[in-house]
Amino acid sequence: MSCGDPHETDCSEVLDHLYEYLDREMPDGECTKFEEHFDECSPCLEKYGLEQAVKKLVKRCCGHDDVPADLRSKVMGRIELIRAGETVPEKSVLEQAQQESGAAEGPGHQPGPTDADAPTEAARAE
């Protein structure tokens, strides 16, 4: 999406990093560039407003669930690996947490379904 007008910060850059801006995960200088862009570009400002509203709605409806501290730390660890450009293990964080919690519960524990147990898109289409 682009408004067609030239800007110091291109619309595609703003939209590619919109959630970093919304989540306050970017340096102040970058935030200033985005704020200037929103002042100039009404389509991007509209998209920002829509995403901000969705984020608030999700927080209001789903923000009461507590996330286990170990799962949060594993997810954050994966994010840091990705940001550093390192390879990430193929097993999902959720699968890893389920496997570890199953091992901690001892023999006889029946683990719940994992993504590997779910039907594939091709199987659902049949």
Side-chain angles (χ1 to χ4, degrees), residues 92 94-99 101 109-119:
S92 75
L94 182 58
E95 288 173 326
Q96 185 179 354
Q98 287 173 337
Q99 184 179 24
S101 70
H109 172 72
Q110 295 295 320
T114 64
D115 291 339
D117 297 328

Side-chain angles (χ1 to χ4, degrees), residues 1-3 7 9-15 18 34 37-38 40-51:
M1 175 180 103
S2 176
C3 65
H7 301 286
T9 306
D10 190 60
C11 294
S12 62
E13 181 183 347
V14 170
L15 297 177
L18 186 57
F34 277 48
H37 184 90
F38 293 137
E40 301 171 351
C41 183
S42 60
C44 287
L45 178 62
E46 184 177 335
K47 179 72 172 166
Y48 164 73
L50 176 65
E51 296 299 332

Side-chain angles (χ1 to χ4, degrees), residues 34-109:
F34 277 48
E35 290 161 3
E36 290 171 1
H37 184 90
F38 293 137
D39 287 342
E40 301 171 351
C41 183
S42 60
C44 287
L45 178 62
E46 184 177 335
K47 179 72 172 166
Y48 164 73
L50 176 65
E51 296 299 332
Q52 186 179 41
V54 168
K55 185 176 165 115
K56 285 180 182 178
L57 179 63
V58 168
K59 182 177 181 178
R60 188 178 72 214
C61 295
C62 306
H64 304 291
D65 298 334
D66 291 328
V67 178
D70 63 326
L71 178 59
R72 180 171 175 30
S73 67
K74 288 175 185 169
V75 169
M76 295 307 293
R78 287 273 178 109
I79 290 171
E80 292 304 318
L81 285 175
I82 291 168
R83 284 184 176 161
E86 297 180 26
T87 57
V88 180
E90 293 199 20
K91 193 184 302 182
S92 75
V93 173
L94 182 58
E95 288 173 326
Q96 185 179 354
Q98 287 173 337
Q99 184 179 24
E100 289 174 6
S101 70
E105 293 176 17
H109 172 72

